[in-house]
Amino acid sequence: MNREEFRKQALAFDKKDSLAKFRDLFVSDDHVIYLDGNSLGKLPKATISHLQHVVKEEWGNRLIRSWNEKWIDLSKKNASKIAKIVGAKEDEIFVGDSTSLNLYKLSYAALKYNKSRNEILTDQLNFPTDLYILQGLIKEHFQNHKLLFIESKDQITTTKEEIISKISENTSLLTLSHVTYKSSFLYPMKEINEIAHKKGSLVLWDLSHAVGAVPIKLNDWNADLAVGCTYKYLNGGPGAPAFLYVNKKLQEKMENPVWSWFGHDRPFDFSNDFLPSKSIQKFGVGTPTILSLSAMEKGLEIMVDAGVSQLREKSKSLTEFMMSMIETWLIPLGFSVASPKNAENRGSHISIQHENAYAINCAMIEPSKDHKSIIPDFRPPNNIRLGIAPLYISFLDLYESVIRIAEIVENKEYLKFKNDKNLVP
């Protein structure tokens, strides 16, 4: 198809989009196409007035009384919404702390519980922080353990056969990202859980690039443990508190390595001796971050209202449309696709590669005054990630983005940008 045919197709798809109404619920700029919702989600309009109320009324006027009036249960309130999104029970989700700290807590708990085994298995596609935490645990607490990697031959996907070949009777913990951060490869969680459980291994999933983008059914898929962030597709705000999941059948057996106030069974008794909570709250650490927890509420409400299954269907349509445009307009210009070609095997972002990827990325973000700013993100060595958040991305957005990328390369606009990378690329 030529450009005009792609444009007409985009407009036709947008006209039939039953989720288009959600686009107006977010702060937007007509001069910006935002393709980085897989890194930081947009700001819901309702969050602005809600936070103003929290700051002025709950903090400003009610002061410490707000703890009893609302704040003490805020984490649980958000946990109930996240439970609906990830297919878990309310009392299997804890909201608080960071994704990294939650991963540390659950990795430690799993390794201590499965202490007769001394192998930790992950893959080459996992998020680097996850690997750092595992390396640190081995160095500081589990010196007899070793970290093994499932290889990816194409650096995009792995196969069940490769996992089966690596997992053994000595595997204590298998930990993977449900959707990999760079390539967007989507693991078949249910099948991987079954493979691991047959070998007696626990499985810990990082849902950060999956939650809110693909359907997740932790209970139905017999998941053991999971962590995830809320500031990507869930639109909870920069650095919003993360969440963790522990299957009900494992909660009594798992021990939080960080003994702290809000993991105590009766924190306001102010006892000098630690007594762990008997609920999922045992994985709490510090005082809840009320402003951040409050900022999450409206984004979660929108996600529950829209429904992840419907969003997934739109996401697949969006990414398939963009893939067809990439094949037509970008591949001839030296780009390659670094994500699975089949929509069933990928999340809601697409990675494309080019030898001048960073400069092209900069040219997209900082155009001449005649063009919209298109905001993706860059991942070394040469990946441009195009995040497609179906709550607020349209087909026309994707059409304009691909055409603009082609223009940047054809006109060599990227040459005015250096390869000196920003601290946050």
Side-chain angles (χ1 to χ4, degrees):
M1 290 192 293
N2 59 34
R3 290 189 181 188
E4 185 57 27
E5 288 172 328
F6 270 119
R7 185 176 181 278
K8 287 180 178 178
Q9 188 178 65
L11 291 171
F13 285 151
D14 284 335
K15 190 173 182 180
K16 294 187 294 185
D17 179 15
S18 62
L19 296 173
K21 62 183 178 181
F22 290 98
R23 185 179 173 96
D24 293 332
L25 300 182
F26 294 88
V27 174
S28 61
D29 181 341
D30 291 339
H31 300 290
V32 173
I33 297 175
Y34 190 64
L35 299 182
D36 209 3
N38 57 314
S39 191
L40 173 64
K42 277 191 170 185
L43 170 63
K45 292 176 181 176
T47 300
I48 299 171
S49 56
H50 179 60
L51 275 182
Q52 287 175 337
H53 172 81
V54 173
V55 171
K56 291 171 116 177
E57 180 60 26
E58 294 178 14
W59 179 14
N61 292 331
R62 299 306 296 164
L63 293 166
I64 202 166
R65 291 170 290 185
S66 286
W67 277 108
N68 283 320
E69 293 168 354
K70 181 180 179 182
W71 293 347
I72 199 67
D73 292 323
L74 189 53
S75 174
K76 292 179 182 178
K77 182 180 178 181
N78 285 336
S80 69
K81 296 185 178 76
I82 292 174
K84 295 175 183 177
I85 296 168
V86 300
K89 302 180 184 72
E90 292 183 12
D91 60 357
E92 293 176 316
I93 300 290
F94 166 77
V95 180
D97 304 320
S98 68
T99 310
S100 297
L101 179 53
N102 286 335
L103 188 77
Y104 175 88
K105 289 184 283 190
L106 294 191
S107 297
Y108 180 98
L111 295 174
K112 186 169 183 181
Y113 170 69
N114 236 359
K115 59 186 177 182
S116 62
R117 300 161 174 244
N118 71 346
E119 292 179 356
I120 306 168
L121 185 60
T122 187
D123 68 356
Q124 295 176 326
L125 308 177
N126 211 345
F127 195 69
T129 292
D130 296 30
L131 307 181
Y132 306 156
I133 288 167
L134 297 173
Q135 292 164 9
L137 282 168
I138 290 172
K139 181 176 184 294
E140 298 298 331
H141 301 289
F142 300 95
Q143 288 89 352
N144 293 326
H145 284 58
K146 54 185 176 180
L147 182 61
L148 304 178
F149 288 89
I150 303 158
E151 294 183 4
S152 173
K153 294 177 181 177
D154 59 6
Q155 294 303 303
I156 296 175
T157 65
T158 62
T159 66
K160 288 183 291 183
E161 290 71 27
E162 288 165 335
I163 294 174
I164 291 170
S165 70
K166 284 287 188 180
I167 197 166
S168 74
E169 303 295 338
N170 205 30
T171 304
S172 175
L173 177 66
L174 168 64
T175 179
L176 303 165
S177 290
H178 190 202
V179 171
T180 60
Y181 83 103
K182 191 176 289 187
S183 73
S184 195
F185 172 57
L186 170 64
Y187 269 106
M189 184 188 293
K190 183 178 180 180
E191 295 178 46
I192 301 305
N193 287 340
E194 290 174 354
I195 291 169
H197 292 161
K198 285 179 182 177
K199 293 289 186 177
S201 172
L202 291 171
V203 187
L204 170 54
W205 291 97
D206 186 336
L207 307 177
S208 295
H209 285 84
V211 62
V214 300
I216 299 170
K217 301 178 181 180
L218 293 175
N219 284 167
D220 289 351
W221 296 342
N222 199 21
D224 300 317
L225 309 163
V227 299
C229 75
T230 62
Y231 50 77
K232 301 182 191 296
Y233 295 104
L234 298 185
N235 307 296
F243 67 92
L244 61 78
Y245 159 88
V246 180
N247 191 299
K248 190 72 174 177
K249 67 186 178 184
L250 289 172
Q251 285 183 19
E252 287 187 12
K253 304 169 184 176
M254 298 285 108
E255 179 183 316
N256 182 358
V258 185
W259 292 11
S260 190
W261 187 21
F262 269 76
H264 196 286
D265 192 49
R266 296 188 296 274
F268 295 100
D269 282 1
F270 296 99
S271 167
N272 286 344
D273 296 313
F274 183 73
L275 178 66
S277 171
K278 299 178 180 65
S279 72
I280 191 69
Q281 186 61 38
K282 73 194 294 182
F283 289 98
V285 178
T287 303
T289 52
I290 296 303
L291 295 183
S292 295
L293 284 168
S294 298
M296 291 169 53
E297 292 188 77
K298 298 304 175 182
L300 292 176
E301 288 172 7
I302 293 172
M303 181 61 60
V304 171
D305 187 22
V308 179
S309 294
Q310 291 87 336
L311 290 167
R312 174 60 173 166
E313 290 308 308
K314 180 180 176 181
S315 168
K316 288 193 291 186
S317 296
L318 286 164
T319 58
E320 286 175 340
F321 174 75
M322 192 173 213
M323 277 288 197
S324 66
M325 287 204 68
I326 289 170
E327 292 286 344
T328 302
W329 298 105
L330 300 187
I331 299 300
L333 296 175
F335 286 90
S336 60
V337 175
S339 293
K341 298 291 181 69
N342 187 338
E344 298 295 335
N345 297 330
R346 69 172 177 262
S348 203
H349 66 276
I350 295 173
S351 281
I352 56 176
Q353 296 179 334
H354 192 278
E355 62 179 351
N356 297 303
Y358 185 72
I360 294 168
N361 177 78
C362 293
M364 293 168 67
I365 297 170
E366 301 178 32
S368 65
K369 62 181 180 180
D370 298 326
H371 297 286
K372 291 182 179 180
S373 173
I374 300 170
I375 303 178
D377 67 14
F378 172 83
R379 291 293 179 265
N382 59 351
N383 292 271
I384 299 173
R385 294 196 314 174
L386 306 169
I388 302 167
L391 274 173
Y392 47 77
I393 291 296
S394 69
F395 289 87
L396 188 61
D397 287 335
L398 301 186
Y399 165 80
E400 292 180 350
S401 296
V402 173
I403 295 303
R404 179 69 190 124
I405 295 169
E407 290 174 349
I408 288 169
V409 176
E410 289 169 343
N411 299 331
K412 294 184 168 47
E413 296 175 40
Y414 61 87
L415 291 178
K416 66 180 180 179
F417 294 93
K418 298 179 180 179
N419 278 320
D420 297 333
K421 298 176 179 59
N422 292 325
L423 185 60
V424 182

